[in-house]
Amino acid sequence: MSKQLLRCGTGIGANIAEAVCAISEKDFLAKFYIAFKECSETQYWLDLLYETSYLNEQEYRSISDDCSELRKLLSSITKTIKDKGNRKKNEVKGNS
């Protein structure tokens, strides 16, 4: 379980780093969405590690709270980018 946590936890940062070098807005959004999904998976593994007593309550709360804040941030970023992309599409359709 801890190895799974390490993989998905580090996958968040790796996908954000890839997004910085994205070749398009669509690619940028895809990388941030994958980071969001990795963050959700990280929370799953944290929950399991806590439930099986690998993490004490203080450790769990600290890491889980950070993970939750990061997930909210990633969700906001992906929503903003999607909304921006939808507005652009509507502008193009309106100008055609």
Side-chain angles (χ1 to χ4, degrees):
M1 286 187 283
S2 60
K3 287 185 180 186
Q4 284 297 117
L5 177 64
L6 178 65
R7 284 188 196 112
C8 59
T10 56
I12 299 166
N15 279 287
I16 292 170
E18 284 188 50
V20 172
C21 299
I23 59 173
S24 67
E25 196 169 284
K26 186 176 180 180
D27 186 35
F28 184 83
L29 175 60
K31 298 300 181 198
F32 263 92
Y33 190 69
I34 292 169
F36 172 76
K37 293 188 329 182
E38 292 284 356
C39 194
S40 294
E41 183 181 348
T42 298
Q43 185 63 59
Y44 170 78
W45 291 112
L46 286 171
D47 293 345
L48 281 180
L49 287 168
Y50 176 66
E51 293 298 323
T52 55
S53 300
Y54 280 93
L55 294 174
N56 65 41
E57 186 171 353
Q58 183 180 0
E59 293 167 329
Y60 171 75
R61 291 283 171 225
S62 175
I63 300 168
S64 181
D65 289 349
D66 289 344
C67 188
S68 178
E69 288 301 312
L70 182 56
R71 190 169 45 184
K72 289 175 189 176
L73 179 64
L74 292 167
S75 175
S76 178
I77 291 168
T78 56
K79 184 180 183 322
T80 299
I81 296 167
K82 283 169 65 174
D83 290 347
K84 182 180 172 187
N86 288 337
R87 281 193 306 271
K88 280 184 180 180
K89 286 179 187 176
N90 290 335
E91 288 172 7
V92 169
K93 286 180 182 179
N95 291 334
S96 298

